[in-house]
Structures are given as C-alpha cells and as structure tokens.
C-alpha cells in the first residue's frame, strides 16, 4: 500500500533528542507530542467524489496531496479494498434479486455523481479538503442511464457489464380473477399513471462518524450518528475483519434520521478502515452538499393503476404496474427492493378487495442509491389507491367518502388478509372515518366549497385511508439473511440509592424513545420519572436488539422494557417481603416506597432496601439472594407485522392564476393501539404530516439527462417551512394490539404515509371544475399551471 503517514509517534522519550513534554501538555490527553508541538490525535477524513454519473477511472495522481503538510494518509478504492471486503445488498427471501459487489470507494468505474473515489486523512478537515484539490483524476465518461424505463430496454447501456440487464429484481402478484372484473361491462373501470419525485431525508444533523481503533486489544469503536448500532456492529465485523465482540458502536442522541441513517455507506466504512490502519481516531462529517449526493434517496416510482367497481360501488379488482429506479446498487444490508415491495403489498390494504394483480420492476440507474426512508413505500401505495378511489367516485357519480365507506374493511372483520397475503388484526377503519367526519364537519366544508367556486375560489378536500407497517417480526429482514434483529432487549436495575437504571437496545433520534422507556419503568416501579436513568445506543452496555426503525420503538423496545421492569419489581417485592416477614402480593411500590398494597402504609423506602441488599446482606434472611436486576427481550411472533390504521383529510385552496397551493387544514385520526404518551404520539404524527407534505408539494431531487444532480443545496431543494403549514388536528381511536401486553402499535410514520395522497386528492378536487388533474409529485406551481393549460 502506497500510504504516507506523517508525524509518527516516538517510541520513547528516554535517550531521544525530542524534549520531554511538560505536565500541561500531558494533561491535554488526546494530543500527540512531536517535534515540540502538540498535534491533535483526532484525524479528519474528506472524500474526492466523482463528478460524473458514469465514468471509467483511468488515472489517479495523489502525490501532491500526500506531500501537503498535515496530510496523514491518502487512499484510493483499490487500497481500501485490501482491507475492506465488498458487500451485496440482497435479501434471500426476495427471490431473484441481484446486485453486484459494492466497494467502499469506487474501483475502476464510478457509477453515480458523488460516489467516493479517493479519501484523504489529515489533521483537520480544512487540510483534508485542501489536499483533495491537489488530486488529479482522469475519467473516461460512459453513457449515463438515468431514466428507469429506458434502463430496462434491450439496448440500454449496462451499468454492470457482468449482469445481463439493468434489472435488479422483479416480483409479480396475481390473485383472483382480475381479467373478469375488467371485462365485465357492468363495472366502472378507471386507469391512471402516477409519477413520484425522488427525494431525500434532509436530516437536521448530517451523517457523521468517528472510528477509534485500539491495536492492543484489536478493538474498534465507532461513534455513529445512526439508528441500528448492533446491525452496524455486525457489518463492521464482517467487512473489516474484526471479531464482532471486539466492535463497539455508540449512537447517542441523533439529530434526526428518518431511515437515512440506517444503511451502509462506503465513506463511513472507509473511515473505520482508516482508523484501524492508522491506529488513531478518524472523523468524517458529511457537509450538506455531500448529504444530497450521498445520503440515500427514495420515492422514485412510476405507477400505472387500473381499478374496477361494480354497480353497487364495491371494488372488484385492482391492477398495478410499478417501476422504480434505485441507483447503481441495491443498498446493503436492507436492500433497495423493500420500498417497491411495500408499494405492491400495501395497495388496497384498507379495503375488501377480491382480485389483485401487480408487477414490480426494480431498475439500476446512474443516480444516488435509493433505499428505505420514512414510511417506506407507504406514501406511494396510499396515494395511488386513494387517487384511484377518487377517480372511481367521480366516474360513478358517488361521493368519495361514501365510496370509501362501502369498501372499507369492517371493524369486526378481523383477523383478515389481503390478496397480497398481508395479515391484519385489531384495526378500526370505520370508527376512524366516523371520527374524522365529525372533526372536520365535512358537510359544512362541502357547502363552503360550492359557494366559493361560484366566486372563482377553488378549494378542495382530499381523503386517504391508510395502514402503517409497525413492530416488524423476523419475517421482514432476518429471514433474508440480513444482520438485523427483530427483537429488542431491556435491562432494569435498582441501585443502592433507590434509583432505577435501565438500558434498552432502541435508539434516540429525537422521537422521545428515552422518555417512553423512563415512563414505562416509572409506572411499573412506582418511582418518579427523575429517578429513572436511561441508557440507549451502546452495543457495549445495552442488550442486543434491532434499534429504531419501522415504528418499532415503543411496540417492541417498550414491551421489553415493561417486562424487564415488571421482573425487577417482582424481585424487589420478594426481598421486601423477606425483610418485613410478609407476602410479596401484599406489598406494592408507590412514590419510591414499599407500602402495604391495601392500606398504602409505608413500610420502607427503596433506598433502604437497596442499601440493605448491597451493603448489609448479612441482615437478609437465609436463602434470600436478590439480584435486583432483570433483562427481558421481546419480538412479535404471531404476525409478520403489527399494522396501525387511520385516515387523513386535507383542505387546500389552489390559485388558478399562479398555480400556488395553499394548505388550509389537515386532519388525522390514527389508531396506534395503547397510547403511552399522547403528546409524543401527536407530534410524531404532525412531523410526519409535514414531511409528507414536503414530498407532495416541494421536495424533489432534480437530475439532468446525464445524471447531474441539479439542486444539491438548501437554496435549491425546497423543504416545507412552518409558515406554509396548516393547523394539523389529531384525534385517536384506540384498539390495542393483542401481540403484546403493552398493546402499543407504532406511530412514527403514519403522517408521512398518508399526507401526500391526501394533499394530491385535495388539489385535484379543487381543480376538477376546471378540467385539470395532477398525477405527479411534487405538485409545483409550474405543474399545476401546465395541468390547467392541458386540461389534465
């Protein structure tokens, strides 16, 4: 390996001409003493990225960069590949999926604009970036494949020559007699083509990681701004050759994730490799430009949908053709097929549907890789189905609400299954619809809409019935060979002061996970919230588990916490009963004290019990050997997923002169099962609605035909702002899931799942008198005006 390392540490100060460091220098701790200077121990990585969407790399000259003072090492793809094995983002239960080996840094060929090509490690980020400017790379541009449909034609350039086409995966579903439904002349049939704009998560905190390797123990520590520490522990072990037990991943409070930070990124893996090679901490922090060009994208779909209802308005069949472009690789380890799979699995989920046919094609293309992002596949599935429901209502002369009511699954019809094989239980579509109509005063809104249309003011009302996949079982990823746990673990421990310390394998990205864990524990243990101390996100200190994704924190991690806290409480009461010469069932814990269950009389404090156990064990009766610690794990086993359900309505006004959409009101009724903290649930839903509105009206990663991202700054990529958002009113129906004692379903993604379709239907309802209709998101003013000119 041709790597130049600067400022090698002297082996000894004894007999050396280098002056001995003074105490003040030694107290700086993390510094390095070389040539009478304190140099930072922490190094910083920066990456030279491909300016081309597709190009052969013919020459890399890094000599000038290596010679720059402050540069410690420079690595290209081939050099990193000697220490990092490649990966493949395929899941075995997605039969036929294929994706070539992906290296950490590009080797020989760059396949998207922004792919890392060379890494520089230096004493500061500024020096590293200066060194990048000194690197010369010669490229031989290749044809870029950017359109997903063109990518699958026979004459399309192959992104990976070793594969016979640009098809990553195809799945077909055929259930029931679809053709008979469409051929029946008595049925009403509609067809529509939808286009969804590719966009990304725009997290408040960009991706950042620090690698720190201890060669004396062959131990690698990764400080990680991410969602799944144990998954990343396994990934690092597999591809860096460090035993899994010697890899520690720490994910403390994370500034937003939305699924963006749950994937394997080559620049992060290369940073860990550099830390191991240089035996010094190495930090990489993506800037905003890098985030747009490297964070996974999502939602890039084109869907053609057909549906039929009979004379009574009942759905007879739905047919879907979905094509999605995922970039040049399927993302590891979750794969890029899941989003499309969710789309075709979830279309029609709220409704009784006798026949269904779908084709999904997942295509490689020369764009940023695409993978799971908040509400994976749901916004597409809900927008397509609910758009088609509005079309069916208009074509058959029915009110869109009444058509939905006719077809929604009855609240007493569970358990039930969809034609796709999705299993449903404990849902409440009809009850949610009734509550929503009361909240929004639907009849008054319709009357106002008619009155204002006569005045040239165009307002619309849009609905979306929805489901949300939460609390996934091992059937989601584990069965496909991915190192992703479906279980979560929790430990609860009483200390000598009477405080309770808990550790849980879920993580905190600002959604309130740690508050929920503390709340559950405090309720069970009968202590104040301030006396519960929560640890998450550290593979060295928390039980093994999946982390936070797919709205599983409260439903799985919370259930494990409930069981661990209950077990600890049982231990405490057994010890207290032994000390007090009573029965455990006659005692309880309230306000941090052991009390008589019936009278409430205080018998002793938890601190007294703790001190007795830990300091004066000789005072305990013979045979009493308390642990005062309990660990429990939980996974969903009865169903592949626990579904939530709900309904949304959007109320908008469209200016026919400017094309500007003004959001007036938004309503949500959601059934998340047992509500543990209503404030947190409501704000999760509100945040999700805002994110969904972003996809509906503002957010899109715009590419040129040759694969250049055109809007990779916050000045050009629009996100929803507070001033543009409507009041978002939320109500609940509560149907606890029977898969757990807690009864909690997930809540984190429902807002994002339903909002885009609700807004699209509202915009089209406003435009209907003008003969216009939109089927492409985001619905920008330009697209609104184009639709008005073309009459739909």
């Amino acid at each position: 390996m041709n790597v130049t390392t600067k400022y090698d540490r002297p082996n000894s100060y004894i007999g050396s001409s280098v002056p001995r460091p003074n105490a003040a220098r030694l107290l700086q701790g993390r510094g390095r003493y070389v040539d009478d200077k304190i140099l930072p121990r922490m190094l910083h990585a920066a990456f030279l990225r491909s300016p081309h969407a597709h190009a052969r790399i013919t020459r890399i000259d890094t000599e000038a960069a290596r010679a720059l003072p402050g540069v410690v090492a420079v690595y290209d793809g081939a050099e990193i590949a000697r220490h990092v094995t490649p990966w493949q983002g395929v899941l075995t239960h997605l039969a036929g999926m294929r994706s070539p080996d992906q290296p950490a840094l590009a080797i020989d060929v760059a396949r998207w604009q922004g792919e890392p090509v060379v890494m520089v490690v230096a004493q500061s980020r500024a020096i590293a970036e200066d060194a990048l400017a000194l690197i010369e790379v010669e490229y031989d541009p290749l044809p870029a494949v950017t359109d997903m449909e063109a990518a699958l034609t026979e004459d399309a350039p192959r992104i990976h020559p070793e594969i016979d086409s640009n098809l990553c995966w195809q799945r077909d579903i055929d259930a029931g007699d679809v053709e008979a439904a469409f051929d029946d002349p008595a049925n009403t049939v509609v067809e529509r083509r939808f286009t969804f704009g590719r966009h990304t998560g725009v997290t408040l905190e960009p991706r950042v990681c620090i690698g720190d390797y201890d060669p004396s123990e062959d131990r690698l520590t990764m400080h990680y701004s991410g969602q799944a520490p144990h998954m990343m522990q396994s990934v690092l072990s597999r591809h860096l050759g460090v035993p899994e037990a010697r890899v520690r991943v720490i994910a403390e409070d994370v500034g937003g994730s939305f699924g963006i930070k749950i994937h394997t990124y080559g620049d992060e893996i290369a940073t860990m490799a550099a830390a191991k090679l240089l035996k010094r901490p190495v930090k990489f922090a993506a800037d905003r430009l890098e985030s747009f060009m490297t964070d996974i994208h999502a939602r890039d779909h084109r869907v053609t949908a057909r549906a039929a209802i009979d004379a009574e308005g009942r759905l007879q069949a739905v047919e879907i053709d979905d094509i999605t472009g995922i970039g040049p690789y399927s993302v590891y380890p979750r794969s890029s097929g899941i989003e499309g799979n969710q789309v075709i699995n979830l279309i029609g989920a709220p409704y009784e549907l006798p026949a269904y046919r779908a084709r999904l094609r997942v295509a490689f293309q020369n764009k940023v890789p695409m993978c799971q992002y908040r509400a994976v596949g749901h916004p597409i599935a809900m927008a397509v189905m609910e758009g088609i429901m509005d079309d069916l209502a208009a074509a058959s002369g029915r009110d869109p609400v009444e058509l939905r009511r006719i077809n929604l699954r009855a609240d007493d019809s569970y358990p039930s299954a969809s034609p796709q094989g999705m299993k449903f239980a404990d849902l409440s579509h009809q009850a949610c619809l009734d509550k929503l109509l009361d909240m929004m005063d639907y009849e008054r809104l319709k009357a106002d809409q008619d009155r204002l249309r006569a005045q040239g003011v165009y307002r619309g009302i849009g609905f979306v019935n929805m489901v949300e996949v939460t609390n996934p079982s091992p059937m989601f990823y584990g069965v496909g060979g991915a190192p992703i746990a479906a279980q979560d673990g929790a430990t609860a421990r009483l200390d000598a002061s009477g405080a309770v310390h808990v550790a849980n394998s879920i993580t905190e990205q600002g959604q309130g996970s740690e508050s929920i864990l503390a709340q559950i524990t405090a309720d069970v243990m009968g202590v104040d919230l301030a006396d519960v101390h929560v640890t998450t996100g550290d593979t060295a200190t928390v039980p093994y588990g999946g982390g936070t994704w797919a709205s599983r924190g409260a439903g799985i991690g919370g259930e494990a916490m409930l069981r661990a806290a209950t077990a600890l409480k049982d231990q405490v009461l057994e010890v207290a009963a032994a000390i007090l010469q009573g029965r455990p069932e006659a005692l309880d814990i309230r306000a941090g004290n052991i009390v008589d269950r019936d009278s409430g009389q205080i018998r002793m404090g938890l601190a007294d019990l703790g001190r007795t156990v830990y300091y004066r064990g000789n005072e305990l009766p013979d045979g009493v050997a308390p642990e005062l610690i309990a660990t429990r794990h939980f996974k969903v086993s009865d169903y592949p997923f626990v579904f939530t359900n709900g309904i949304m309505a959007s109320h908008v006004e469209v200016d026919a002169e400017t094309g500007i959409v003004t959001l007036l009101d938004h309503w949500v009724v959601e059934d998340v099962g047992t509500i543990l903290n209503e404030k947190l649930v409501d704000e999760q839903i509100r945040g999700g609605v805002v994110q969904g509105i972003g996809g509906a009206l503002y957010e899109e990663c715009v590419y040129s035909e040759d694969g250049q991202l055109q809007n990779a700054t916050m000045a050009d990529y629009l996100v929803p702002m507070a001033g543009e958002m409507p009041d978002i009113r939320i109500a609940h129906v509560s149907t606890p899931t029977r898969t757990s004692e807690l009864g909690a379903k997930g809540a984190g993604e429902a807002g994002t799942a339903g909002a885009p379709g609700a807004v699209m239907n509202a915009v089209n309802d406003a435009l209907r008198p003008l003969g216009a209709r939109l089927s492409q998101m985001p619905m920008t003013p330009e697209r609104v005006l184009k639709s008005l000119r073309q009459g739909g």
Side-chain angles (χ1 to χ4, degrees):
M1 178 185 293
N2 184 18
V3 177
T4 302
T5 302
K6 305 289 189 181
Y7 304 114
D8 287 336
R9 182 191 301 273
N11 291 326
S12 172
Y13 294 111
I14 300 174
S16 169
S17 61
V18 178
R20 182 187 302 271
N22 61 30
R25 287 172 176 159
L26 289 174
L27 288 173
Q28 295 188 39
R30 299 289 287 180
R32 303 185 70 212
Y33 180 76
V34 179
D35 296 335
D36 203 27
K37 296 178 181 178
I38 291 290
L39 300 179
R41 176 165 164 75
M42 175 83 76
L43 302 175
H44 297 262
F47 292 86
L48 184 69
R49 300 180 183 276
S50 171
H52 301 280
H54 198 194
R56 186 173 291 107
I57 302 168
T58 59
R59 185 178 73 90
I60 300 176
D61 184 348
T62 62
E63 289 307 310
R66 295 176 192 273
L68 184 70
V71 169
V72 176
V74 180
Y75 304 98
D76 62 22
E79 291 166 335
I80 286 292
R82 295 171 193 162
H83 306 276
V84 179
T85 59
W87 50 82
Q88 288 188 346
V90 298
L91 295 171
T92 57
H93 65 301
L94 303 184
M97 173 176 282
R98 56 188 184 172
S99 185
D101 283 351
Q102 181 178 356
L105 305 183
I107 301 174
D108 298 332
V109 177
R111 291 182 169 87
W112 83 86
Q113 181 202 22
E115 184 175 10
V117 176
V118 181
M119 175 172 62
V120 172
V121 183
Q123 292 172 7
S124 71
R125 173 69 182 244
I127 294 173
E129 291 187 350
D130 287 346
L132 294 181
L134 300 175
I135 297 173
E136 295 181 6
V137 180
E138 291 183 0
Y139 297 91
D140 180 11
L142 299 170
V145 181
T146 56
D147 182 84
M148 63 184 78
E149 292 178 279
L152 296 183
T153 59
E154 290 186 4
D155 59 348
R158 293 183 190 172
I159 295 174
H160 302 285
E162 66 271 29
I163 296 180
D164 60 7
S165 75
N166 292 322
L167 181 68
C168 170
W169 185 50
Q170 178 169 329
R171 183 188 174 204
D172 296 276
I173 302 173
D174 199 344
D177 197 341
V178 173
E179 286 304 322
F182 290 129
D183 291 343
D184 189 337
N187 290 344
T188 299
V189 178
V190 298
E191 182 172 341
R192 186 168 165 192
R193 181 177 170 86
F194 297 83
T195 301
F196 297 90
R198 166 187 281 251
H199 53 282
T200 188
V202 196
T203 57
L204 181 65
E205 174 193 43
R207 289 186 297 111
V208 61
C209 63
I210 299 172
D212 192 0
Y213 180 70
D214 181 353
S216 68
E217 295 186 354
D218 187 23
R219 189 174 300 278
L220 176 67
T221 299
M222 179 188 196
H223 296 266
Y224 159 67
S225 175
Q227 301 172 237
H230 284 105
M231 179 201 82
M232 190 55 65
Q233 179 187 42
S234 176
V235 167
L236 294 175
S237 173
R238 290 183 181 193
H239 298 285
L240 292 178
V242 180
E244 188 167 337
R246 295 186 181 274
V247 177
R248 181 182 185 185
V249 179
I250 302 170
E252 296 182 346
D253 291 351
V254 174
S257 294
F258 314 127
I260 298 300
K261 299 176 182 176
I262 203 165
H263 308 290
T264 301
Y265 291 94
D267 47 24
E268 294 180 359
I269 302 300
T271 300
M272 298 304 107
K276 184 182 177 187
L277 290 168
L278 300 172
K279 301 176 179 59
R280 289 173 65 179
V282 180
K283 176 181 179 179
F284 166 66
D287 61 30
R288 190 60 69 180
L289 176 63
E290 286 179 300
S291 294
F292 277 113
M293 298 177 68
T294 62
D295 290 0
I296 62 101
H297 293 177
R299 314 279 204 254
D300 199 1
H301 289 252
R302 294 175 191 162
V303 182
T304 301
R306 266 202 312 169
I309 55 173
D310 65 15
E312 296 179 352
R314 298 193 177 278
L315 282 165
Q316 298 301 298
V318 171
E319 183 177 29
I320 298 296
D321 187 6
D322 179 15
I323 182 169
T324 178
I326 62 164
Y329 298 98
S330 176
V331 177
Y332 178 74
R334 292 168 186 267
S335 94
S336 300
I338 292 294
E339 183 174 77
N341 199 48
Q342 295 272 72
V343 171
I344 63 173
N345 275 342
L346 297 178
I347 282 178
Y351 302 109
E352 296 287 354
L353 181 59
Y356 180 74
R357 184 163 61 204
R359 177 177 67 162
L360 167 68
R361 289 171 293 164
V362 179
F364 294 122
Q365 57 183 174
N366 294 117
K367 293 182 179 179
V368 172
M370 201 171 82
C371 204
Q372 283 82 306
Y373 164 54
R374 190 176 190 178
V376 184
H378 293 64
I380 294 104
M382 305 308 148
V384 168
M385 188 65 209
E386 296 301 305
I388 286 292
M389 291 297 285
D390 273 12
D391 292 349
L392 288 167
S396 63
R398 290 181 169 85
D399 182 274
V401 169
E402 289 312 307
L403 182 67
R404 286 170 168 82
R405 189 185 297 279
I406 290 169
N407 288 283
L408 282 173
R409 295 176 184 273
D411 292 351
D412 61 358
S413 65
Y414 302 101
S416 61
S418 70
Q420 299 96 311
M422 297 292 100
K423 296 180 179 180
F424 303 117
D426 307 321
L427 303 183
S428 56
H429 288 293
Q430 298 283 354
C432 287
L433 174 59
D434 290 340
K435 180 164 281 192
L436 179 82
L437 296 177
D438 288 342
M439 281 177 63
M440 64 186 293
D441 196 353
Y442 179 52
E443 295 302 325
R444 178 188 62 79
L445 284 177
K446 287 198 301 179
D448 289 347
Q449 183 185 45
D450 292 340
R451 175 178 55 80
L452 290 169
R453 280 177 178 172
Q455 302 171 20
V457 176
Y458 298 97
R459 292 186 174 180
I461 307 166
F463 295 90
V464 162
N465 284 293
M466 59 187 178
V467 297
E468 178 194 351
V469 169
T470 77
N471 300 2
S473 76
M475 298 299 293
F476 206 174
Y477 289 118
V479 297
I484 301 169
Q487 68 167 12
D488 272 300
T491 296
R493 174 177 61 86
L494 184 74
D495 74 10
S497 73
V500 182
H501 298 262
V502 302
N504 197 290
S505 55
I506 65 172
T507 52
E508 177 65 76
Q509 285 94 51
Q511 73 276 54
S513 293
E514 293 186 356
S515 296
I516 287 293
L517 298 175
Q519 180 182 324
I520 291 170
T521 303
D523 287 348
V524 171
M525 288 297 299
V527 298
D528 190 88
L529 271 174
D531 291 324
V532 180
H533 305 272
V534 180
T535 298
T536 60
D538 186 342
T539 58
T541 61
V542 305
Y544 202 93
T548 298
W549 47 275
S551 299
R552 63 191 302 281
I556 297 181
E559 178 70 16
M561 194 75 262
L562 174 72
R563 296 184 180 196
T566 300
L568 176 61
K569 180 180 180 179
D570 290 344
Q571 292 180 21
V572 168
L573 293 180
E574 287 177 7
V575 175
I579 294 172
L580 299 171
Q581 298 181 346
R583 294 176 297 109
E585 58 271 21
L587 301 174
D588 199 2
I589 309 174
R590 298 172 193 167
N593 295 297
I594 309 296
V595 302
D596 284 328
R597 181 178 295 276
D598 293 336
S599 69
Q601 179 184 356
I602 296 176
R603 302 296 302 277
M604 68 185 305
L606 280 179
D608 294 333
L609 182 142
R611 286 192 291 267
T612 299
V613 169
Y614 290 117
Y615 304 153
R616 305 189 304 275
N618 59 297
E619 297 178 8
L620 297 175
D622 291 342
V624 177
E627 298 284 344
L628 297 191
I629 186 170
T631 298
R632 296 291 184 270
H633 286 79
F634 176 74
K635 69 178 186 302
V636 173
S637 54
D638 298 331
Y639 287 84
F641 314 101
V642 173
F643 282 93
T644 70
N645 73 275
I647 185 170
M648 288 190 191
S650 177
H651 185 211
V652 307
E653 183 175 310
V654 181
D655 188 325
E657 299 297 324
T658 65
I660 292 175
V661 176
T662 300
L663 301 159
L664 302 175
D665 301 282
H666 201 97
W667 300 270
V668 183
V669 178
E670 180 75 3
D671 186 343
V672 300
T674 301
I675 299 174
L676 305 178
N677 185 314
E678 188 167 350
K679 184 70 171 178
L680 286 178
V681 169
D682 287 356
E683 297 315 311
Q684 278 284 294
I685 292 171
R686 282 194 178 91
V689 167
V690 171
Q691 207 156 14
I693 287 171
L697 296 179
Y698 307 109
E699 297 186 50
E700 183 175 20
C701 296
V702 179
Y703 277 87
S704 65
E705 290 185 1
D706 60 352
Q708 297 291 306
L709 184 57
Q710 303 291 290
N711 58 334
T713 73
M714 294 300 293
D716 300 309
Y717 183 95
L718 299 183
V719 295
M721 306 293 283
E724 299 151 351
M725 292 301 101
D727 286 339
I728 301 170
R729 299 177 178 88
I730 298 169
H732 299 279
V733 172
S734 182
T735 310
T737 174
R738 287 171 282 184
T739 60
S740 68
E741 297 175 35
L742 202 57
K745 307 171 187 176
E749 299 172 280
T752 310
V759 173
M760 175 173 271
N761 285 346
V763 168
N764 285 326
D765 185 45
L767 294 178
R768 191 166 287 111
L770 302 174
R773 183 180 71 180
L774 280 91
S775 300
Q776 181 173 2
M777 295 185 194
M779 295 172 287
T780 62
E782 179 184 14
R783 286 171 179 157
V784 172
L785 292 175
K786 182 178 179 181
S787 178
L788 286 166
R789 288 195 300 268
Q790 297 177 346

